Amino acid sequence: MALENKIEMVSDLIEAAKDFFVELFRPNMTLEKISEVVSPRLDDMIKKYEERGLTYSAGKFHIKYADEKHFQLEFEMYFQDAEGKWHKCANESDLRDYTLLEAGAWKTIQALKTITFPIEKPQTRGDEVLQKDKNLEEYREAQALPATEPAPKDEPDFTLDIDEKK
């Protein structure tokens, strides 16, 4: 690969990362909606740079708690060129106001501080690029289950003996 083409490709990779978060949000976003909006964009970036000779390796997309009124988005993806050199494509958004999020999404971000979605290359058309965050899944399961207490041990255990007559 000619040095001029390689420099152009790397600078284009950096420029695309800078523009990634522009006009991404609408009011009342859920974590699922963020994933739905971001996933195709990341997929397009992977395809674009693989068409230019880079091989996608791995990446992560983060939704991070910034402060009591803001959150931030960021991603990092790693590509390797034909000569074995690694290239990082990464960006973070400006601080975003928590009011853009649905209330439950904001509470989740406040509780977990960082939600991380692994970025995997889609195997077939329509595959989701963003995979599930295990901490998010565990948090949601814990929030959905009511707190139950075991029955007191001093109460008798009643069992019914029923004779079935045939």
Side-chain angles (χ1 to χ4, degrees):
M1 173 181 293
L3 181 60
E4 185 178 298
N5 287 342
K6 194 171 185 177
I7 292 170
E8 181 181 319
M9 181 172 50
V10 171
S11 66
D12 191 30
L13 189 65
I14 292 166
E15 197 60 38
K18 277 198 261 183
D19 294 336
F20 188 82
F21 292 114
V22 176
E23 297 184 29
L24 184 64
F25 276 82
R26 304 289 179 257
N28 289 320
M29 295 289 284
T30 63
L31 297 174
E32 288 75 17
K33 190 64 178 170
I34 292 170
S35 177
E36 288 173 16
V37 171
V38 170
S39 189
R41 289 177 163 212
L42 292 171
D43 184 31
D44 289 345
M45 286 184 79
I46 292 169
K47 287 177 186 172
K48 179 178 180 178
Y49 293 104
E50 284 197 329
E51 287 171 1
R52 292 181 162 191
L54 295 177
T55 301
Y56 177 73
S57 180
K60 293 181 180 182
F61 172 73
H62 309 279
I63 304 172
K64 293 183 169 184
Y65 175 84
D67 61 38
E68 60 277 350
K69 293 191 179 206
H70 299 97
F71 67 99
Q72 192 170 31
L73 307 172
E74 74 179 37
F75 74 90
E76 56 190 52
M77 295 190 296
Y78 297 90
F79 295 86
Q80 192 172 30
D81 64 25
E83 297 160 5
K85 185 175 179 186
W86 288 97
H87 302 276
K88 179 179 179 180
C89 177
N91 193 13
E92 62 183 29
S93 70
D94 293 332
L95 294 181
R96 303 292 176 133
D97 195 273
Y98 79 99
T99 59
L100 288 171
L101 299 171
E102 179 266 332
W106 177 239
K107 280 184 171 182
T108 302
I109 292 169
Q110 286 177 301
L112 296 177
K113 302 299 183 215
T114 300
I115 299 168
T116 301
F117 299 91
I119 303 169
E120 293 185 8
K121 182 180 170 183
Q123 300 303 316
T124 61
R125 185 177 169 93
D127 281 355
E128 285 293 317
V129 175
L130 292 179
Q131 303 305 305
K132 293 182 180 182
D133 177 295
K134 291 177 184 169
N135 291 335
L136 175 60
E137 296 299 312
E138 290 171 5
Y139 174 79
R140 285 184 170 165
E141 286 176 18
Q143 296 301 311
L145 297 175
T148 58
E149 294 182 26
K153 295 288 182 186
D154 57 341
E155 290 184 18
D157 182 21
F158 293 102
T159 56
L160 299 175
D161 291 329
I162 301 175
D163 291 332
E164 286 188 32
K165 294 184 180 179
K166 294 184 182 180

